[in-house]
Amino acid sequence: MKRIAILGSTGSIGTQALDVIAANPTLFEVFAITGHSNVELLAQQARKYKPNMVIITDTDKYSTLKQMLADVDDVKVFAGMESVCDMVAMSMVDMVLTSMVGYAGLQPTIAAVKAGKTIALANKETLVVAGELICQLAAKHRSAILPVDSEHSAIFQCLAGEQDKSIEKLLLTASGGPFRTFSMEQLAHVTKADALKHPNWDMGAKITIDSASMMNKGFEVIEAKWLFGVQKEQIEVLVHPQSIVHSMVQFTDGSVKAQLGMPDMRLPIQYAFGYPNRLPNNYERVDFTKLNTLTFEKPDLERFRNLAFAYYAMEKGGNMPCILNAANEVVVAAFLRDKIGFLAMSDAMEWAMQTLPFIQNPTYQDYVETDAHVRKMVAEKISL
Ligand code: NDP
Ligand code: MG
């Protein structure tokens, strides 16, 4: 029985992870769940799954949650990020799913890695911001990081039984999002509602905007570098609008392996939870006779500049990816409140990368300070 802590259980990945656990009650148990603002859903989940602990990271909501769960025995209620960091290090925890959104995932992921836990990593922002630090800590504390992101899960599955030195390149597929075929003129006028309609995946708001702007794919390039220890030149993005081939690996002999499946995040979540075993399920299967075509094309870095920003930040290293991530979090939140246009998001990120202080060898504290400073400066720049 694996005891799993789910950080961000109230989100899109978190709720699907709970479904996977509920479908495999003899294999997995929910040890703890955390949420930030959605106190009603968190309380509902606590009643249903009876975890040992439930934590609300927004401390203002603690008393409401405590009241809601007053009649539930055996579920301890806590609040705040410090509680999350203490919880993930507890000996009872076998695996930590990092499915909270954004930079907020960094601190508890570091705590879990330092405690030598197995991480099922959905929160890609952690590796974008501090990939080098996380990899060093994971090696030192023997913490295994299993990818949940569908592309990285696909690559991980393709690499089973292979040696790292046999990798020639990773072929990271991208749906291209809802604006794949849009001109610059059209992109200048897209709305939040347009951007929130992803053609193939149903996800949280932030990652849905990141997918429409290709920032998500840029972050996934950086995520792949750290997860699989490859160089920039070895990561190629291919736009594949059908989202059936989740990614591929080309080996040094020219052979290519791909992982295919229906677009359903429960599959990579289940693979990480069950690893190294494959678990049966009854999710929808690929019907090859109904797939008319699978197409692949090069991404357009002129219309989707964010992807080029990510390659630049990755090459530059240091705190540059942290600057890009913090700027992106500010502009996406602003876009979701109709405070900034779609293309202006990229302009603000470019400004941040060109203007704000670069640090070549950042410490953890430098990341914390960079994140706070960039947020403040970008908010000022776009007059929030
Ligand atoms: P959602 O927005 O659906 O959920 C985010 C979760 O994080 C919620 O539980 C939310 O709590 C919590 N949260 C929000 N802000 C904070 C904070 N400041 N501190 C602590 N917790 C917080 O996001 P997704 O599930 O879509 O994405 C989660 C992560 O997984 C992201 O890093 C994303 O990139 C990654 N991912 C997601 C995929 C998907 O299909 N959704 C695919 C691949 C990766 P509450 O709702 O209670 O406020
Ligand atoms: Mg992905």
Side-chain angles (χ1 to χ4, degrees):
M1 184 71 100
K2 261 183 213 166
R3 285 161 302 196
I4 305 179
I6 303 186
L7 314 190
S9 64
T10 48
S12 159
I13 294 288
T15 49
Q16 294 180 82
L18 286 171
D19 285 348
V20 169
I21 293 177
N24 296 278
T26 58
L27 297 175
F28 310 127
E29 192 179 288
V30 188
F31 177 76
I33 53 176
T34 85
H36 189 64
S37 60
N38 195 342
V39 67
E40 291 79 15
L41 181 57
L42 192 62
Q44 223 175 299
Q45 292 176 338
R47 281 177 189 281
K48 180 163 176 198
Y49 293 95
K50 296 272 164 38
N52 295 43
M53 293 169 74
V54 48
I55 306 174
I56 184 102
T57 41
D58 180 350
T59 47
D60 291 347
K61 300 225 156 69
Y62 173 71
S63 51
T64 314
L65 180 64
K66 186 94 181 139
Q67 262 171 17
M68 283 176 161
L69 293 174
D71 61 323
V72 182
D73 295 333
D74 305 329
V75 179
K76 296 191 194 72
V77 183
F78 297 90
M81 203 47 109
E82 291 303 324
S83 301
V84 180
C85 293
D86 292 344
M87 179 274 287
V88 294
M90 288 171 73
S91 60
M92 298 274 284
V93 175
D94 297 314
M95 181 182 261
V96 177
L97 171 68
T98 65
S99 54
M100 73 278 279
V101 63
Y103 175 85
L106 179 61
Q107 198 193 344
T109 306
I110 289 179
V113 169
K114 281 187 173 167
K117 301 299 178 187
T118 298
I119 314 288
L121 185 131
N123 179 262
K124 67 192 84 184
E125 294 91 341
T126 293
L127 287 182
V128 171
V129 169
E132 189 162 14
L133 175 67
I134 296 286
C135 290
Q136 281 166 356
L137 289 173
K140 182 171 165 197
H141 298 280
R142 296 173 182 272
S143 156
I145 301 183
L146 306 172
V148 168
D149 212 348
S150 58
E151 296 77 0
H152 305 74
S153 176
I155 291 167
F156 187 59
Q157 293 179 52
C158 293
L159 289 175
E162 304 285 352
Q163 295 168 341
D164 287 350
K165 66 176 192 308
S166 313
I167 302 174
E168 191 164 86
K169 67 175 170 182
L170 308 179
L171 297 156
L172 205 64
T173 52
S175 72
F179 308 140
R180 181 174 57 90
T181 58
F182 280 33
S183 66
M184 285 303 269
E185 169 63 18
Q186 286 172 301
L187 286 176
H189 298 106
V190 297
T191 64
K192 168 177 93 177
D194 301 329
L196 284 173
K197 277 184 226 133
H198 194 280
N200 306 339
W201 297 97
D202 184 9
M203 309 177 285
K206 189 250 180 191
I207 187 178
T208 305
I209 302 303
D210 285 347
S211 300
S213 71
M214 294 287 271
M215 191 69 266
N216 180 54
K217 206 49 56 180
F219 287 163
E220 291 185 355
V221 169
I222 301 175
E223 183 185 10
K225 172 195 158 90
W226 295 116
L227 282 174
F228 305 113
V230 293
Q231 301 302 310
K232 173 176 170 255
E233 300 70 34
Q234 289 175 287
I235 311 172
E236 185 177 332
V237 172
L238 279 177
V239 176
H240 166 53
Q242 298 82 18
S243 295
I244 294 292
V245 177
H246 296 308
S247 277
M248 304 182 263
V249 180
Q250 180 172 311
F251 294 95
T252 45
D253 60 358
S255 181
V256 178
K257 279 194 195 173
Q259 187 262 340
L260 286 72
M262 297 306 287
D264 183 339
M265 282 309 295
R266 291 174 304 176
L267 188 52
I269 293 169
Q270 176 182 298
Y271 188 74
F273 283 0
Y275 182 78
N277 301 315
R278 279 194 189 275
L279 309 177
N281 64 35
N282 58 5
Y283 306 154
E284 191 183 354
R285 272 28 181 177
V286 177
D287 181 347
F288 284 90
T289 62
K290 293 210 174 97
L291 290 178
N292 293 330
T293 42
L294 295 179
T295 60
F296 302 91
E297 61 197 63
K298 268 191 192 310
D300 181 344
L301 300 188
E302 282 175 19
R303 279 184 305 129
F304 294 98
R305 299 165 67 211
N306 296 356
L307 188 51
F309 293 170
Y311 273 100
Y312 168 76
M314 179 167 72
E315 184 162 29
K316 194 89 178 147
N319 68 341
M320 193 56 85
C322 178
I323 296 176
L324 179 61
N325 179 71
N328 183 62
E329 288 193 26
V330 174
V331 295
V332 169
F335 181 74
L336 285 169
R337 284 183 288 125
D338 297 315
K339 300 274 188 206
I340 187 173
F342 188 76
L343 292 177
M345 291 198 286
S346 301
D347 297 338
M349 286 190 269
E350 184 177 40
W351 172 84
M353 289 201 298
Q354 283 172 351
T355 319
L356 300 176
F358 175 65
I359 305 170
Q360 186 67 70
N361 294 303
T363 60
Y364 174 67
Q365 195 51 33
D366 290 328
Y367 289 127
V368 174
E369 283 165 22
T370 298
D371 180 74
H373 182 64
V374 174
R375 281 171 194 272
K376 180 168 166 284
M377 298 304 285
V378 173
E380 270 174 32
K381 176 80 183 162
I382 61 174
S383 322
L384 286 179

